[in-house]
Amino acid sequence: MSNESVQFYYPSEETVKNAAVSGMDAYKALCAEAEADYEGFWAKRARDLITWKEPFTQVLDESNAPFYKWFADGKLNVSYNCLDRQIEAGKGDKVALIFEADNGDVTKVTYKELLVKVCKMANLLKAKGVQKGDRVVIYMPMTVEGVVAMQACARIGATHSIVFGGFSAQALRDRIIDAGATMLITSDGQFRGGKALPLKAIADEALAMGGCDTLKGVIVFKRTGMDVTMVAGRDEWLHEGMASQPETCEPEWVGAEHPLFILYTSGSTGKPKGVQHSTGGYLLHAILTMKYTFDIKDNDVFWCTADIGWVTGHTYITYGPLACGATEVVFEGVPTYPDAGRFWKMIQDHKVSIFYTAPTAIRSLIKASDTNAAVHPKSYNLSSLRILGSVGEPINPAAWTWYHENVGGGRCPIVDTFWQTETGGHMITPMPGATPLIPGSCTLPFPGIQFAVVDETGAELPWGQGGILVCKKPWPSMIRTIWGDDERFVKSYFPADFQGKLYLAGDGAIRDAETGYFTITGRIDDVLNVSGHRMGTMEIESALVANPLVAEAAVVGRPDDLTGEAIVAFVVLKGQRPTDPEATKKMVKELSDWVGKEIGPIAKPKDIRFGDNLPKTRSGKIMRRLLRGLAKGEELTQDTSTLENPAILEQLRG
Ligand code: PRX
């Protein structure tokens, strides 16, 4: 792409003037500062932006690489940094959370009020025997209490692990066991799109499966008022337990490397990995990205539409905005209820100035507003907006320009933020008051972050050549290990192919030949991205073969206009393959529901096809490339002569 053919979108003078990173020279100066003194760059910001109980003297400890440590001898508390210090700075009566419920009810919580809630819940956890270092699994909807539960864990030094409310009993159980959790915080149910859906009943099912032996109790938040069974001696209502708790709770000061949370995500094997994050380094990047990428200011209203069940909800709902003393919107519902204008109405009502969402949401709202002018963003007053963000998957240029023009009124920079559960915060992203934007490119690395595109040997490729995305240096908010599996951590992220020196992101990328801008070309492993949700193909295959009817299964992705990628499953049954449409439909539904039960509705395949066998080489290897072609409906031009059983391709054509 030559510079003449590319249309850049430049920030307005006003935006540049007031931005934390003001203009490209400022961005380059930050990069140069980090280049000249890498540790000094991060140490200075860690000292300026975090309140430490005990200051650190060491910055980066590489003695046990790739188990890097940052600020290791410093002591701090994240909840103190998010709440108490805002109050000490005079923000006690400032609104921290604007909670909008599914039904539209709005509740505002000030910093002072939030601190009281957090302290009471922290005291309840302590009263129930939760101690520093214990793991607490949180299986809760998007509510103030969800944020409070996370902050309460941080306050007492317990490590939380959120399980997204859309995951199944089986998935919840596996995570409780893997984390060795001593406490579960859940809710009777959750409201989504006008419906009350159960959570406690699923949690009961998870515990009834057995194996959760470390668990000492279950705390239940009453959200929907739906009927639940409370097990005497095990379960306790949150409101009852909290009622008598004191309103203050001394923060537990922990070392900077203390695990703040574990968050499970999909990898290339059947078993999700517990990504372990630190306290100090993680908090630093949460704050710094709020400042540089979102240019957060005191009078902003920030809204990240993610769920606390994903890393985006951790960094850009629970921790980043609060650690900056910002006002943020927390939304319980879905973008299409009561209609597809919900996001725009909420931006209008709450005067949101920074809005951060996922391409899938944008694409579905484009579709809805194409046929219904009433839900088109232009039907709302969105003049409060000044910065837009995108996260979770590549944003296609058409969606980007629609977002820019119709939501941002052509005046708001879009920060297309590339990052991962493992990275803790933004890695490659524009700076809103500096970077000229190109739709579809996440542009340049965050200041201090040193990403590169390399070949299979780890050698850096020239711009213009696609390859493997890596990070050349450890950074403060990086994953510390996979919970309980150091070996898998090293293998997955610091492979021997790169002499253990490069962080392997798992994505392919290409840098533009002239600008050096990064474009992410998609995962290079067996991980799919469906509506911005990460799903391992092996995980879905394991779920399918766990069904007694299934002999073998292979799962691949295929591009999808709405969800980015869609899951396609090729299945061999133990019995006869269904051939008539009715029987096929029935079997598809049965298997799809099964996957929903095993993992969660988000993992249900969009397309399930049956064959007498899978295409395999003579050595028995499943030819996934072929399956990907079949999934896309492509004419097969590949040589299939090595196939042991070419006839089954017809069956799997769909
Ligand atoms: O493939 C990349 C894609 O999402 C993956 C990370 O998924 P997860 O850990 O669930 O975190 C999502 C929220 C940070 C990446 O490996 N991805 C994320 N953001 C982008 C992206 N792909 C392209 N552009 C992005 N902005």
Side-chain angles (χ1 to χ4, degrees), residues 45 49-51 81 85 282-293 296 315-316 319-321 323-324 446:
R45 285 156 183 83
L49 300 173
I50 291 175
T51 305
N81 273 272
R85 76 161 170 167
Y282 171 81
L283 181 65
L284 171 60
H285 208 53
I287 299 175
L288 198 59
T289 50
M290 284 300 300
K291 290 199 180 292
Y292 288 180
T293 313
I296 191 85
T315 310
Y316 300 107
Y319 294 118
C324 292
F446 189 86

PDB file of all heavy atoms in Angstrom, residues 45 49-51 81 85 282-293 296 315-316 319-321 323-324 446:
ATOM      1  N   ARG A  45       7.213   5.533  35.505  1.00  0.00           N
ATOM      2  CA  ARG A  45       5.747   5.563  35.474  1.00  0.00           C
ATOM      3  C   ARG A  45       5.146   4.773  36.634  1.00  0.00           C
ATOM      4  O   ARG A  45       4.101   5.147  37.183  1.00  0.00           O
ATOM      5  CB  ARG A  45       5.258   5.065  34.119  1.00  0.00           C
ATOM      6  CG  ARG A  45       5.481   6.156  33.081  1.00  0.00           C
ATOM      7  CD  ARG A  45       5.587   5.716  31.662  1.00  0.00           C
ATOM      8  NE  ARG A  45       5.869   6.886  30.825  1.00  0.00           N
ATOM      9  CZ  ARG A  45       7.094   7.398  30.630  1.00  0.00           C
ATOM     10  NH1 ARG A  45       8.163   6.844  31.183  1.00  0.00           N
ATOM     11  NH2 ARG A  45       7.266   8.476  29.878  1.00  0.00           N
ATOM     12  N   LEU A  49       2.540   6.735  38.968  1.00  0.00           N
ATOM     13  CA  LEU A  49       1.111   6.439  38.781  1.00  0.00           C
ATOM     14  C   LEU A  49       0.521   5.511  39.835  1.00  0.00           C
ATOM     15  O   LEU A  49      -0.694   5.389  39.937  1.00  0.00           O
ATOM     16  CB  LEU A  49       0.870   5.833  37.386  1.00  0.00           C
ATOM     17  CG  LEU A  49       1.276   6.731  36.209  1.00  0.00           C
ATOM     18  CD1 LEU A  49       1.159   5.986  34.891  1.00  0.00           C
ATOM     19  CD2 LEU A  49       0.397   7.980  36.183  1.00  0.00           C
ATOM     20  N   ILE A  50       1.379   4.820  40.571  1.00  0.00           N
ATOM     21  CA  ILE A  50       0.885   3.884  41.590  1.00  0.00           C
ATOM     22  C   ILE A  50       1.269   4.418  42.961  1.00  0.00           C
ATOM     23  O   ILE A  50       2.351   4.984  43.125  1.00  0.00           O
ATOM     24  CB  ILE A  50       1.507   2.481  41.371  1.00  0.00           C
ATOM     25  CG1 ILE A  50       0.953   1.869  40.082  1.00  0.00           C
ATOM     26  CG2 ILE A  50       1.264   1.562  42.565  1.00  0.00           C
ATOM     27  CD1 ILE A  50       1.584   0.537  39.708  1.00  0.00           C
ATOM     28  N   THR A  51       0.385   4.255  43.931  1.00  0.00           N
ATOM     29  CA  THR A  51       0.755   4.576  45.308  1.00  0.00           C
ATOM     30  C   THR A  51       1.249   3.288  45.955  1.00  0.00           C
ATOM     31  O   THR A  51       0.502   2.303  46.045  1.00  0.00           O
ATOM     32  CB  THR A  51      -0.455   5.148  46.077  1.00  0.00           C
ATOM     33  OG1 THR A  51      -0.959   6.257  45.341  1.00  0.00           O
ATOM     34  CG2 THR A  51      -0.056   5.592  47.467  1.00  0.00           C
ATOM     35  N   ASN A  81      -5.416   1.546  45.640  1.00  0.00           N
ATOM     36  CA  ASN A  81      -5.102   2.444  44.525  1.00  0.00           C
ATOM     37  C   ASN A  81      -6.350   2.859  43.746  1.00  0.00           C
ATOM     38  O   ASN A  81      -6.402   3.939  43.179  1.00  0.00           O
ATOM     39  CB  ASN A  81      -4.092   1.789  43.579  1.00  0.00           C
ATOM     40  CG  ASN A  81      -2.658   2.045  44.022  1.00  0.00           C
ATOM     41  OD1 ASN A  81      -2.069   3.051  43.652  1.00  0.00           O
ATOM     42  ND2 ASN A  81      -2.117   1.155  44.843  1.00  0.00           N
ATOM     43  N   ARG A  85      -7.345   5.941  47.566  1.00  0.00           N
ATOM     44  CA  ARG A  85      -6.516   7.094  47.187  1.00  0.00           C
ATOM     45  C   ARG A  85      -7.298   8.122  46.366  1.00  0.00           C
ATOM     46  O   ARG A  85      -6.947   9.288  46.345  1.00  0.00           O
ATOM     47  CB  ARG A  85      -5.235   6.661  46.489  1.00  0.00           C
ATOM     48  CG  ARG A  85      -5.391   6.227  45.074  1.00  0.00           C
ATOM     49  CD  ARG A  85      -4.049   6.280  44.372  1.00  0.00           C
ATOM     50  NE  ARG A  85      -4.171   5.638  43.073  1.00  0.00           N
ATOM     51  CZ  ARG A  85      -3.276   5.745  42.140  1.00  0.00           C
ATOM     52  NH1 ARG A  85      -2.182   6.431  42.352  1.00  0.00           N
ATOM     53  NH2 ARG A  85      -3.460   5.138  40.995  1.00  0.00           N
ATOM     54  N   TYR A 282       0.673  -5.273  36.376  1.00  0.00           N
ATOM     55  CA  TYR A 282      -0.661  -5.249  35.748  1.00  0.00           C
ATOM     56  C   TYR A 282      -1.328  -3.893  35.983  1.00  0.00           C
ATOM     57  O   TYR A 282      -1.842  -3.262  35.054  1.00  0.00           O
ATOM     58  CB  TYR A 282      -1.525  -6.385  36.312  1.00  0.00           C
ATOM     59  CG  TYR A 282      -2.967  -6.289  35.864  1.00  0.00           C
ATOM     60  CD1 TYR A 282      -3.348  -6.742  34.606  1.00  0.00           C
ATOM     61  CD2 TYR A 282      -3.934  -5.712  36.680  1.00  0.00           C
ATOM     62  CE1 TYR A 282      -4.669  -6.624  34.173  1.00  0.00           C
ATOM     63  CE2 TYR A 282      -5.247  -5.587  36.263  1.00  0.00           C
ATOM     64  CZ  TYR A 282      -5.611  -6.048  35.014  1.00  0.00           C
ATOM     65  OH  TYR A 282      -6.908  -5.929  34.578  1.00  0.00           O
ATOM     66  N   LEU A 283      -1.303  -3.450  37.251  1.00  0.00           N
ATOM     67  CA  LEU A 283      -1.961  -2.180  37.578  1.00  0.00           C
ATOM     68  C   LEU A 283      -1.320  -1.029  36.802  1.00  0.00           C
ATOM     69  O   LEU A 283      -2.008  -0.142  36.302  1.00  0.00           O
ATOM     70  CB  LEU A 283      -1.884  -1.922  39.094  1.00  0.00           C
ATOM     71  CG  LEU A 283      -2.555  -0.636  39.560  1.00  0.00           C
ATOM     72  CD1 LEU A 283      -4.058  -0.669  39.323  1.00  0.00           C
ATOM     73  CD2 LEU A 283      -2.270  -0.371  41.037  1.00  0.00           C
ATOM     74  N   LEU A 284      -0.007  -1.071  36.686  1.00  0.00           N
ATOM     75  CA  LEU A 284       0.684   0.001  35.959  1.00  0.00           C
ATOM     76  C   LEU A 284       0.158   0.102  34.523  1.00  0.00           C
ATOM     77  O   LEU A 284      -0.171   1.188  34.050  1.00  0.00           O
ATOM     78  CB  LEU A 284       2.202  -0.253  35.939  1.00  0.00           C
ATOM     79  CG  LEU A 284       2.985   0.688  35.017  1.00  0.00           C
ATOM     80  CD1 LEU A 284       2.810   2.150  35.429  1.00  0.00           C
ATOM     81  CD2 LEU A 284       4.469   0.320  34.990  1.00  0.00           C
ATOM     82  N   HIS A 285       0.053  -1.021  33.856  1.00  0.00           N
ATOM     83  CA  HIS A 285      -0.364  -0.949  32.452  1.00  0.00           C
ATOM     84  C   HIS A 285      -1.846  -0.575  32.332  1.00  0.00           C
ATOM     85  O   HIS A 285      -2.245   0.100  31.380  1.00  0.00           O
ATOM     86  CB  HIS A 285      -0.060  -2.253  31.722  1.00  0.00           C
ATOM     87  CG  HIS A 285       0.169  -2.045  30.254  1.00  0.00           C
ATOM     88  ND1 HIS A 285       1.082  -1.137  29.761  1.00  0.00           N
ATOM     89  CD2 HIS A 285      -0.411  -2.588  29.160  1.00  0.00           C
ATOM     90  CE1 HIS A 285       1.053  -1.150  28.438  1.00  0.00           C
ATOM     91  NE2 HIS A 285       0.150  -2.023  28.047  1.00  0.00           N
ATOM     92  N   ALA A 286      -2.648  -1.027  33.305  1.00  0.00           N
ATOM     93  CA  ALA A 286      -4.067  -0.649  33.292  1.00  0.00           C
ATOM     94  C   ALA A 286      -4.175   0.877  33.358  1.00  0.00           C
ATOM     95  O   ALA A 286      -4.937   1.499  32.614  1.00  0.00           O
ATOM     96  CB  ALA A 286      -4.796  -1.304  34.466  1.00  0.00           C
ATOM     97  N   ILE A 287      -3.382   1.485  34.230  1.00  0.00           N
ATOM     98  CA  ILE A 287      -3.449   2.944  34.383  1.00  0.00           C
ATOM     99  C   ILE A 287      -2.850   3.645  33.159  1.00  0.00           C
ATOM    100  O   ILE A 287      -3.434   4.572  32.597  1.00  0.00           O
ATOM    101  CB  ILE A 287      -2.699   3.399  35.664  1.00  0.00           C
ATOM    102  CG1 ILE A 287      -3.327   2.773  36.910  1.00  0.00           C
ATOM    103  CG2 ILE A 287      -2.700   4.921  35.764  1.00  0.00           C
ATOM    104  CD1 ILE A 287      -2.579   3.073  38.206  1.00  0.00           C
ATOM    105  N   LEU A 288      -1.681   3.175  32.752  1.00  0.00           N
ATOM    106  CA  LEU A 288      -0.970   3.865  31.674  1.00  0.00           C
ATOM    107  C   LEU A 288      -1.755   3.826  30.358  1.00  0.00           C
ATOM    108  O   LEU A 288      -1.794   4.808  29.619  1.00  0.00           O
ATOM    109  CB  LEU A 288       0.421   3.228  31.490  1.00  0.00           C
ATOM    110  CG  LEU A 288       1.434   4.077  30.736  1.00  0.00           C
ATOM    111  CD1 LEU A 288       1.673   5.415  31.427  1.00  0.00           C
ATOM    112  CD2 LEU A 288       2.759   3.319  30.590  1.00  0.00           C
ATOM    113  N   THR A 289      -2.403   2.695  30.078  1.00  0.00           N
ATOM    114  CA  THR A 289      -3.186   2.612  28.841  1.00  0.00           C
ATOM    115  C   THR A 289      -4.449   3.475  28.938  1.00  0.00           C
ATOM    116  O   THR A 289      -4.869   4.052  27.947  1.00  0.00           O
ATOM    117  CB  THR A 289      -3.556   1.153  28.508  1.00  0.00           C
ATOM    118  OG1 THR A 289      -4.125   0.540  29.673  1.00  0.00           O
ATOM    119  CG2 THR A 289      -2.355   0.361  28.055  1.00  0.00           C
ATOM    120  N   MET A 290      -5.029   3.569  30.128  1.00  0.00           N
ATOM    121  CA  MET A 290      -6.170   4.487  30.297  1.00  0.00           C
ATOM    122  C   MET A 290      -5.725   5.914  29.956  1.00  0.00           C
ATOM    123  O   MET A 290      -6.468   6.683  29.364  1.00  0.00           O
ATOM    124  CB  MET A 290      -6.682   4.465  31.747  1.00  0.00           C
ATOM    125  CG  MET A 290      -7.500   3.266  32.155  1.00  0.00           C
ATOM    126  SD  MET A 290      -9.010   2.981  31.212  1.00  0.00           S
ATOM    127  CE  MET A 290      -9.949   4.478  31.493  1.00  0.00           C
ATOM    128  N   LYS A 291      -4.504   6.249  30.369  1.00  0.00           N
ATOM    129  CA  LYS A 291      -4.016   7.618  30.157  1.00  0.00           C
ATOM    130  C   LYS A 291      -3.600   7.863  28.708  1.00  0.00           C
ATOM    131  O   LYS A 291      -3.968   8.873  28.116  1.00  0.00           O
ATOM    132  CB  LYS A 291      -2.844   7.906  31.095  1.00  0.00           C
ATOM    133  CG  LYS A 291      -3.287   8.015  32.540  1.00  0.00           C
ATOM    134  CD  LYS A 291      -2.268   8.726  33.389  1.00  0.00           C
ATOM    135  CE  LYS A 291      -2.696   8.831  34.833  1.00  0.00           C
ATOM    136  NZ  LYS A 291      -3.838   9.709  35.084  1.00  0.00           N
ATOM    137  N   TYR A 292      -2.817   6.933  28.152  1.00  0.00           N
ATOM    138  CA  TYR A 292      -2.291   7.184  26.806  1.00  0.00           C
ATOM    139  C   TYR A 292      -3.300   6.805  25.712  1.00  0.00           C
ATOM    140  O   TYR A 292      -3.518   7.561  24.782  1.00  0.00           O
ATOM    141  CB  TYR A 292      -0.998   6.389  26.585  1.00  0.00           C
ATOM    142  CG  TYR A 292       0.226   6.880  27.332  1.00  0.00           C
ATOM    143  CD1 TYR A 292       1.451   6.218  27.196  1.00  0.00           C
ATOM    144  CD2 TYR A 292       0.179   8.010  28.148  1.00  0.00           C
ATOM    145  CE1 TYR A 292       2.592   6.647  27.869  1.00  0.00           C
ATOM    146  CE2 TYR A 292       1.311   8.441  28.830  1.00  0.00           C
ATOM    147  CZ  TYR A 292       2.518   7.754  28.693  1.00  0.00           C
ATOM    148  OH  TYR A 292       3.638   8.174  29.352  1.00  0.00           O
ATOM    149  N   THR A 293      -3.875   5.612  25.803  1.00  0.00           N
ATOM    150  CA  THR A 293      -4.762   5.159  24.718  1.00  0.00           C
ATOM    151  C   THR A 293      -6.123   5.842  24.784  1.00  0.00           C
ATOM    152  O   THR A 293      -6.697   6.171  23.754  1.00  0.00           O
ATOM    153  CB  THR A 293      -4.983   3.634  24.790  1.00  0.00           C
ATOM    154  OG1 THR A 293      -3.748   2.974  24.981  1.00  0.00           O
ATOM    155  CG2 THR A 293      -5.652   3.121  23.531  1.00  0.00           C
ATOM    156  N   ILE A 296      -7.709   9.478  29.260  1.00  0.00           N
ATOM    157  CA  ILE A 296      -8.742   9.707  30.280  1.00  0.00           C
ATOM    158  C   ILE A 296      -8.489  11.003  31.056  1.00  0.00           C
ATOM    159  O   ILE A 296      -7.362  11.283  31.452  1.00  0.00           O
ATOM    160  CB  ILE A 296      -8.841   8.499  31.245  1.00  0.00           C
ATOM    161  CG1 ILE A 296     -10.075   8.596  32.130  1.00  0.00           C
ATOM    162  CG2 ILE A 296      -7.580   8.329  32.094  1.00  0.00           C
ATOM    163  CD1 ILE A 296     -11.303   8.069  31.495  1.00  0.00           C
ATOM    164  N   THR A 315      -9.531  -5.185  32.930  1.00  0.00           N
ATOM    165  CA  THR A 315      -8.619  -4.038  32.846  1.00  0.00           C
ATOM    166  C   THR A 315      -9.356  -2.724  32.610  1.00  0.00           C
ATOM    167  O   THR A 315      -8.953  -1.699  33.147  1.00  0.00           O
ATOM    168  CB  THR A 315      -7.578  -4.279  31.731  1.00  0.00           C
ATOM    169  OG1 THR A 315      -7.001  -5.573  31.927  1.00  0.00           O
ATOM    170  CG2 THR A 315      -6.478  -3.236  31.766  1.00  0.00           C
ATOM    171  N   TYR A 316     -10.447  -2.776  31.807  1.00  0.00           N
ATOM    172  CA  TYR A 316     -11.079  -1.515  31.433  1.00  0.00           C
ATOM    173  C   TYR A 316     -12.463  -1.322  32.039  1.00  0.00           C
ATOM    174  O   TYR A 316     -13.205  -0.457  31.613  1.00  0.00           O
ATOM    175  CB  TYR A 316     -11.030  -1.356  29.904  1.00  0.00           C
ATOM    176  CG  TYR A 316      -9.571  -1.352  29.456  1.00  0.00           C
ATOM    177  CD1 TYR A 316      -9.018  -2.444  28.785  1.00  0.00           C
ATOM    178  CD2 TYR A 316      -8.733  -0.292  29.811  1.00  0.00           C
ATOM    179  CE1 TYR A 316      -7.665  -2.467  28.446  1.00  0.00           C
ATOM    180  CE2 TYR A 316      -7.384  -0.309  29.479  1.00  0.00           C
ATOM    181  CZ  TYR A 316      -6.859  -1.397  28.798  1.00  0.00           C
ATOM    182  OH  TYR A 316      -5.517  -1.409  28.483  1.00  0.00           O
ATOM    183  N   TYR A 319     -10.538  -2.336  36.943  1.00  0.00           N
ATOM    184  CA  TYR A 319      -9.292  -1.759  37.458  1.00  0.00           C
ATOM    185  C   TYR A 319      -8.856  -0.434  36.840  1.00  0.00           C
ATOM    186  O   TYR A 319      -8.678   0.553  37.557  1.00  0.00           O
ATOM    187  CB  TYR A 319      -8.177  -2.815  37.383  1.00  0.00           C
ATOM    188  CG  TYR A 319      -8.469  -3.982  38.322  1.00  0.00           C
ATOM    189  CD1 TYR A 319      -8.656  -5.276  37.845  1.00  0.00           C
ATOM    190  CD2 TYR A 319      -8.622  -3.757  39.681  1.00  0.00           C
ATOM    191  CE1 TYR A 319      -8.966  -6.327  38.708  1.00  0.00           C
ATOM    192  CE2 TYR A 319      -8.933  -4.795  40.550  1.00  0.00           C
ATOM    193  CZ  TYR A 319      -9.092  -6.081  40.059  1.00  0.00           C
ATOM    194  OH  TYR A 319      -9.405  -7.100  40.922  1.00  0.00           O
ATOM    195  N   GLY A 320      -8.683  -0.382  35.514  1.00  0.00           N
ATOM    196  CA  GLY A 320      -8.119   0.822  34.887  1.00  0.00           C
ATOM    197  C   GLY A 320      -8.872   2.114  35.198  1.00  0.00           C
ATOM    198  O   GLY A 320      -8.285   3.065  35.748  1.00  0.00           O
ATOM    199  N   PRO A 321     -10.182   2.166  34.905  1.00  0.00           N
ATOM    200  CA  PRO A 321     -10.909   3.423  35.109  1.00  0.00           C
ATOM    201  C   PRO A 321     -10.916   3.858  36.579  1.00  0.00           C
ATOM    202  O   PRO A 321     -10.741   5.040  36.875  1.00  0.00           O
ATOM    203  CB  PRO A 321     -12.332   3.099  34.631  1.00  0.00           C
ATOM    204  CG  PRO A 321     -12.166   1.951  33.694  1.00  0.00           C
ATOM    205  CD  PRO A 321     -11.013   1.160  34.219  1.00  0.00           C
ATOM    206  N   ALA A 323      -8.738   3.051  38.963  1.00  0.00           N
ATOM    207  CA  ALA A 323      -7.393   3.451  39.392  1.00  0.00           C
ATOM    208  C   ALA A 323      -7.050   4.845  38.875  1.00  0.00           C
ATOM    209  O   ALA A 323      -6.113   5.476  39.368  1.00  0.00           O
ATOM    210  CB  ALA A 323      -6.360   2.435  38.919  1.00  0.00           C
ATOM    211  N   CYS A 324      -7.805   5.330  37.872  1.00  0.00           N
ATOM    212  CA  CYS A 324      -7.598   6.693  37.366  1.00  0.00           C
ATOM    213  C   CYS A 324      -8.618   7.663  37.954  1.00  0.00           C
ATOM    214  O   CYS A 324      -8.684   8.820  37.549  1.00  0.00           O
ATOM    215  CB  CYS A 324      -7.694   6.706  35.837  1.00  0.00           C
ATOM    216  SG  CYS A 324      -6.344   5.830  35.050  1.00  0.00           S
ATOM    217  N   PHE A 446       2.223   0.295  21.566  1.00  0.00           N
ATOM    218  CA  PHE A 446       2.095   1.190  22.713  1.00  0.00           C
ATOM    219  C   PHE A 446       3.515   1.608  23.128  1.00  0.00           C
ATOM    220  O   PHE A 446       4.438   0.783  23.082  1.00  0.00           O
ATOM    221  CB  PHE A 446       1.402   0.421  23.850  1.00  0.00           C
ATOM    222  CG  PHE A 446       1.026   1.280  24.999  1.00  0.00           C
ATOM    223  CD1 PHE A 446      -0.183   1.968  25.002  1.00  0.00           C
ATOM    224  CD2 PHE A 446       1.875   1.421  26.088  1.00  0.00           C
ATOM    225  CE1 PHE A 446      -0.538   2.771  26.070  1.00  0.00           C
ATOM    226  CE2 PHE A 446       1.529   2.232  27.163  1.00  0.00           C
ATOM    227  CZ  PHE A 446       0.325   2.905  27.158  1.00  0.00           C
TER     228      PHE A 446
END
